[in-house]
Amino acid sequence: MRISFRAALVTAAAALGLIATSVAPAQAATGYARCASGKFCVFDGQDGQGAMASFSTPQADLGAWRTKVSSVYNHTSYQYFCLYSRTNYQYIDPVHDVELLDSGTNVGDDLYYYHDANSHLDNNVGSIRWAHTARQCEGGPEYLPWDSPDVGDPGTPASFGDLNGDGNPDLLNRTYAGRLYFLRGDGTGTLIGAGWNSMTALTRHGDLNGDGAEDLLARDTAGKLWMYPGNGKGWFGARKLIGGGWNTMTAIQALGDLNGDGKGDLVARDTAGKLWMYPGNGKGWFGARKLIGGGWNVMRAFAGIGDLSGDGHNDLVVSDSSGKLWLYPGNGKGWFGTRKIIGSGGWGPFTTLRGVGDITRDGHPDLLAAQTEAFGEVRFYAGRAGGTIAYNGTNDYLADGDGLF
């Protein structure tokens, strides 16, 4: 029996009097209030009563407490905790084993709730673990173990989306800790570096400096825009400053070549809702910007999808505030033709849209859409002839703080 208990436990626990929010200093602590800050505590009675044991680190084997734990209290700084009926955090037999994924800090939980005809957790806890994310709590890595829907044999490097030149689209994953990972689509991740939480926007779409490798643009908290040149191996060389003042932009999206000169370009929306095109010069920065138009503040998520319409020009996909999804076909001159609706509704929760290249290898660029929240779905949409997309499955789920680029 696998249980993911994601409800607002703090509210429920407070209503039941399980959280020691105020304890009279003259009275001895009782119940859950005995659990010291920074500890994870187990009790042999319900509601934090009876004997108590406290731990500072996850326990692969509770030893003598395996048959005693009747309630628990999370007083650590970690949001998620997992309880297993087996030792060593194992979940092997879905009929008789129990795994509980719980959430909340300063939260107590009685284990007699978790049982069915074949299994129970009360007085049957073999191991306990806590972590920053649900994925890590259940034994997964810090990074998203992304499995591409269709990673084939090495092929010709793609025009965009391919960071290591193996012909397969890749992703970048920034975690809650600010570490940036290269995801090659086979479930593994390679650490690029730390400190990326200082960046308020990241975007990429092909080569910016003319060396044939995909590059990355990132804006820092001071409003400076940086270009990180790709090395064709999945990570980046020394960054180069493009310029300051980019905090006036509420959206920044690399799109590839928009004006037909063969160099990667950029669009950015300012606080007034104006959309600007910054023409790339092929050297890693941009020329004088050109106004595309106003009224873009109604748009939410942006994606540089490539040539979805099939006319040989790069396009833009955006969602609006009403949940619709639009295709803006590039005209090869630096702006767009008449927009076309490609999603009639329901796109509001998907706050991340990413053009991921041609994963399906059918000649049409594909789209990734993610709900940027804990347990948010990562969906894959296959590009189709005529500039449409079709849902092709939910590929994974995000953890707290995950960002995909």
Side-chain angles (χ1 to χ4, degrees):
M1 177 175 60
R2 177 170 272 153
I3 310 161
S4 294
F5 195 58
R6 306 171 189 168
L9 296 175
V10 173
T11 302
L16 293 172
L18 304 183
I19 299 177
T21 54
S22 60
V23 179
Q27 299 175 348
T30 61
Y32 290 130
R34 294 179 290 163
C35 187
S37 177
K39 300 290 187 178
F40 191 95
C41 299
V42 299
F43 308 85
D44 67 3
Q46 297 177 14
D47 299 338
Q49 301 303 314
M52 179 187 78
S54 62
F55 305 99
S56 299
T57 58
Q59 299 293 302
D61 189 339
L62 282 179
W65 275 87
R66 286 193 61 188
T67 58
K68 294 181 180 181
V69 181
S70 190
S71 59
V72 299
Y73 190 81
N74 181 24
H75 209 173
T76 74
S77 61
Y78 295 89
Q79 180 67 25
Y80 294 93
F81 54 98
C82 293
L83 282 67
Y84 298 81
S85 57
R86 286 182 179 264
T87 59
N88 298 311
Y89 321 115
Q90 294 184 90
Y91 182 79
I92 301 172
D93 180 356
V95 175
H96 299 101
D97 293 350
V98 184
E99 176 194 342
L100 170 65
L101 169 63
D102 219 334
S103 66
T105 57
N106 297 344
V107 165
D109 205 0
D110 287 326
L111 303 188
Y112 68 83
Y113 291 113
Y114 308 109
H115 64 86
D116 60 18
N118 300 300
S119 57
H120 66 280
L121 199 56
D122 192 16
N123 296 318
N124 187 34
V125 180
S127 50
I128 55 176
R129 175 165 54 197
W130 47 95
H132 284 291
T133 68
R135 182 168 61 234
Q136 290 175 297
C137 191
E138 293 186 308
E142 178 183 326
Y143 59 82
L144 175 72
W146 180 59
D147 284 307
S148 173
D150 185 19
V151 173
D153 294 329
T156 303
S159 60
F160 74 96
D162 180 12
L163 285 167
N164 63 351
D166 65 355
N168 295 313
D170 308 308
L171 286 177
L172 296 174
N173 174 206
R174 182 177 61 189
T175 69
Y176 70 92
R179 286 184 277 269
L180 191 68
Y181 287 87
F182 164 58
L183 309 182
R184 56 181 51 82
D186 61 358
T188 65
T190 300
L191 179 63
I192 293 174
W196 287 83
N197 275 345
S198 64
M199 298 299 173
T200 59
L202 292 91
T203 184
R204 63 187 179 94
H205 186 110
D207 179 25
L208 290 174
N209 61 0
D211 64 359
E214 177 145 314
D215 306 314
L216 176 67
L217 295 169
R219 179 187 62 193
D220 64 22
T221 52
K224 295 178 180 178
L225 188 67
W226 301 87
M227 193 276 283
Y228 290 79
N231 62 5
K233 300 177 181 179
W235 57 96
F236 306 96
R239 68 181 186 177
K240 299 180 180 180
L241 179 64
I242 291 177
W246 287 82
N247 273 345
T248 60
M249 299 300 170
T250 57
I252 299 173
Q253 181 62 58
L255 290 179
D257 181 22
L258 279 180
N259 60 3
D261 64 358
K263 302 176 178 64
D265 304 319
L266 180 73
V267 295
R269 179 187 62 194
D270 65 22
T271 53
K274 294 178 181 178
L275 189 69
W276 299 88
M277 194 277 282
Y278 291 79
N281 61 8
K283 300 177 182 178
W285 62 95
F286 304 98
R289 69 181 185 176
K290 299 179 180 180
L291 179 64
I292 292 177
W296 285 79
N297 271 343
V298 298
M299 299 303 175
R300 294 295 180 258
F302 289 64
I305 198 169
D307 180 19
L308 182 61
S309 62
D311 63 359
H313 307 305
N314 284 330
D315 306 319
L316 173 68
V317 168
V318 296
S319 61
D320 67 18
S321 56
S322 69
K324 294 183 177 69
L325 191 70
W326 298 90
L327 170 68
Y328 284 80
N331 61 8
K333 301 176 182 179
W335 61 96
F336 305 101
T338 303
R339 68 180 185 176
K340 171 185 176 181
I341 191 166
I342 57 174
S344 59
W347 288 85
F350 295 93
T351 51
T352 294
L353 299 176
R354 296 288 177 258
V356 289
D358 183 14
I359 289 181
T360 56
R361 302 177 187 273
D362 62 357
H364 305 294
D366 306 314
L367 180 70
L368 181 145
Q371 298 168 311
T372 314
E373 59 186 18
F375 308 106
E377 291 185 357
V378 179
R379 292 186 178 183
F380 171 65
Y381 291 83
R384 293 288 184 257
T388 62
I389 57 173
Y391 175 65
N392 202 40
T394 296
N395 187 238
D396 220 313
Y397 296 88
L398 297 184
D400 301 62
D402 272 340
L404 294 177
F405 308 96

